[in-house]
Amino acid sequence: AFCMPVGQELGALLQQPELGPGQKQQVALLLDRLGVFLRYVHIEGNEPAELLTARIINDSWPLVAVALQRLAADPLVSEGVAKFVRVLVEFYAGVLRPVAAQVVDAVVQAFQQTGLSAYLWLARRILAASASLAAEESDALQLVAAMVGRLSEAALALFRQTPFSDVPETCEDYFRLVERALETAPGYVISLPSFEFIFQAAVAALDVNHLHAQLAVIRAWIQLLGPTKRHIRMAHDKRAPLPQLAGPAASSAPPSPRRQQRRPAGPDAYPVQQVLDLCVKHGFDLTLKLMRGMMQQLDRETVAEAADVFASLAAIVSDGPAAVRAQFDSPPAPTMYEWAQAVLAQIPDASFPPADKQAFLAGLSADIRAREWPRVKMLIADTAAKFWRRNAARN
């Protein structure tokens, strides 16, 4: 009685050849009404009601698909669709399961066409409900990992044309999606052929000048490097080879194209070697962005978490290759020290006196060789705060 008239009006609107601003607003309003109804009139254990609800959803999805095809670029319609589909994936995943792939395709195509961040926001909600979107968990993880890969290709194309700071909402929603993807299906996502480009984009995005976007980028780094550091630490504690690190392929060389294109790792396999390879290959750029950011660009609220990323990178590039070569029987390689030294060489002595540079490098060297990663975090955070205070007072 409530939904049929709403659906009929929505269908009639979507059949019109042209829609004006008022009609587009009405489409968004009707989608909102359906979403609110399904969100709050959700009856479990009542079979007749559940059958009717399933019928409403099955009749509604084709209308939503048409709205996406025709009006995906309209901000009001995109928000209406995103809210409606969020209700479906969070409360009616079982009903939606037969068309899960269609839902994912529609969301990806809408973002590819428009670049609107609402579709990235929706994709993150789909990720959260992914275990219920397919009959088998592995199917769901493959589905959402492929979604992340396709959305990443579109987002990276956008970021190549537009500075991150010009699209802070898209930057924020994209890296929140990456963070959730790394939490939900790390093996699948890290094994995507495009993951190295995602890694490089995350390095570049540290330049964004918007607080919430900065936090999203940094937390994506934490979600990537934190588990990698823990896997390496467990190997150190056990004095055992790292997963996927034994044998001839265990080197610090960049991943080969053949390795990048292998089948995605299962949900229980964490691809430590792939993350390690990327950290070694792009580690200087990441170190440069982190150190400059903490001292000059990043909001003060983000410095503690950025320092955590710096310490995790130090642990990974220092202990990771050492785990392969000598099973932790020798001091870590000084890679991170050399990168930090090269970054400091680019900072004028007037901004960072040589004595302070030497003190920082001496402390960093000692902490790396002692594997005191919490002290590395405190050292870089304290140094960045001291640098900022000195130069803020001068300016």
Side-chain angles (χ1 to χ4, degrees):
F2 180 87
C3 294
M4 287 289 286
V6 175
Q8 289 169 354
E9 184 179 355
L10 181 60
L13 277 171
L14 292 172
Q15 287 177 357
Q16 296 186 20
E18 297 291 337
L19 294 174
Q23 292 167 313
K24 293 177 183 178
Q25 185 174 11
Q26 185 67 9
V27 169
L29 177 62
L30 293 171
L31 287 169
D32 190 53
R33 285 180 184 170
L34 283 176
V36 169
F37 180 87
L38 292 171
R39 167 67 180 85
Y40 292 103
V41 189
H42 183 217
I43 302 171
E44 294 181 355
N46 184 326
E47 186 174 351
E50 290 180 350
L51 290 173
L52 283 172
T53 303
R55 179 183 168 190
I56 291 167
I57 293 170
N58 290 330
D59 290 344
S60 299
W61 171 247
L63 298 176
V64 176
V66 172
L68 281 173
Q69 290 170 3
R70 294 194 57 194
L71 305 169
D74 185 86
L76 284 176
V77 174
S78 70
E79 290 185 16
V81 168
K83 291 177 182 178
F84 179 75
V85 177
R86 177 192 180 182
V87 171
L88 299 189
V89 299
E90 290 187 354
F91 295 95
Y92 300 96
V95 177
L96 204 62
R97 185 177 297 156
V99 294
Q102 295 177 33
V103 173
V104 168
D105 282 342
V107 172
V108 170
Q109 290 173 16
F111 180 72
Q112 289 171 335
Q113 294 168 9
T114 68
L116 293 178
S117 62
Y119 300 116
L120 297 174
W121 176 89
L122 176 56
R124 194 163 84 249
R125 267 57 189 186
I126 292 173
L127 266 172
S130 60
S132 302
L133 282 177
E136 299 292 338
E137 184 182 15
S138 60
D139 292 340
L141 294 177
Q142 289 179 353
L143 179 66
V144 296
M147 176 185 71
V148 172
R150 293 168 64 193
L151 288 170
S152 293
E153 291 174 4
L156 297 180
L158 172 65
F159 295 145
R160 280 193 288 270
Q161 298 175 356
T162 309
F164 291 100
S165 295
D166 289 353
V167 284
E169 289 186 2
T170 304
C171 179
E172 177 186 352
D173 281 318
Y174 174 68
F175 283 104
R176 289 195 187 282
L177 173 66
V178 170
E179 178 192 6
R180 177 56 66 90
L182 290 169
E183 179 184 10
T184 304
Y188 291 103
V189 173
I190 295 171
S191 298
L192 288 170
S194 61
F195 189 74
E196 181 169 359
F197 299 108
I198 298 173
F199 191 102
Q200 291 174 287
V203 173
L206 287 166
D207 284 339
V208 67
N209 61 10
H210 186 275
L211 171 60
H212 296 296
Q214 288 177 2
L215 286 171
V217 176
I218 291 168
R219 287 169 184 172
W221 276 116
I222 289 172
Q223 189 60 50
L224 174 63
L225 300 187
T228 305
K229 182 177 73 171
R230 288 195 294 273
H231 278 80
I232 291 173
R233 183 63 187 177
M234 286 189 291
H236 170 249
D237 291 342
K238 294 177 181 178
R239 295 296 196 276
L242 280 170
Q244 305 181 29
L245 290 183
S251 72
S252 60
S256 66
R258 187 174 184 180
R259 182 187 301 166
Q260 289 179 331
Q261 295 171 7
R262 68 188 178 190
R263 293 176 61 83
D268 296 326
Y270 194 91
V272 176
Q273 182 67 48
Q274 287 171 267
V275 180
L276 174 57
D277 287 340
L278 290 173
C279 286
V280 171
K281 183 177 179 180
H282 302 288
F284 174 73
D285 292 336
L286 178 53
T287 303
L288 176 66
K289 295 282 188 178
L290 286 170
M291 291 182 67
R292 282 189 172 176
M294 283 186 279
M295 292 177 182
Q296 298 173 330
Q297 294 169 275
L298 292 175
D299 191 282
R300 294 297 94 194
E301 293 183 36
T302 69
V303 168
E305 289 176 282
D308 191 18
V309 176
F310 182 92
S312 293
L313 177 65
I316 290 166
V317 300
S318 300
D319 269 350
V324 177
R325 291 195 305 268
Q327 292 296 291
F328 294 89
D329 292 332
S330 61
T335 305
M336 194 70 182
Y337 173 88
E338 293 169 351
W339 290 341
Q341 187 178 42
V343 172
L344 292 182
Q346 300 180 23
I347 300 176
D349 289 346
S351 299
F352 201 155
D356 290 348
K357 292 179 181 179
Q358 290 304 317
F360 169 78
L361 291 171
L364 181 63
S365 177
D367 291 342
I368 287 176
R369 293 188 177 280
R371 295 189 175 90
E372 291 286 352
W373 311 123
R375 281 169 50 183
V376 170
K377 177 181 177 179
M378 288 189 292
L379 175 65
I380 186 63
D382 291 346
T383 301
K386 183 178 179 181
F387 178 93
W388 184 84
R389 285 194 300 270
R390 177 191 292 115
N391 290 281
R394 290 175 57 201
N395 295 332

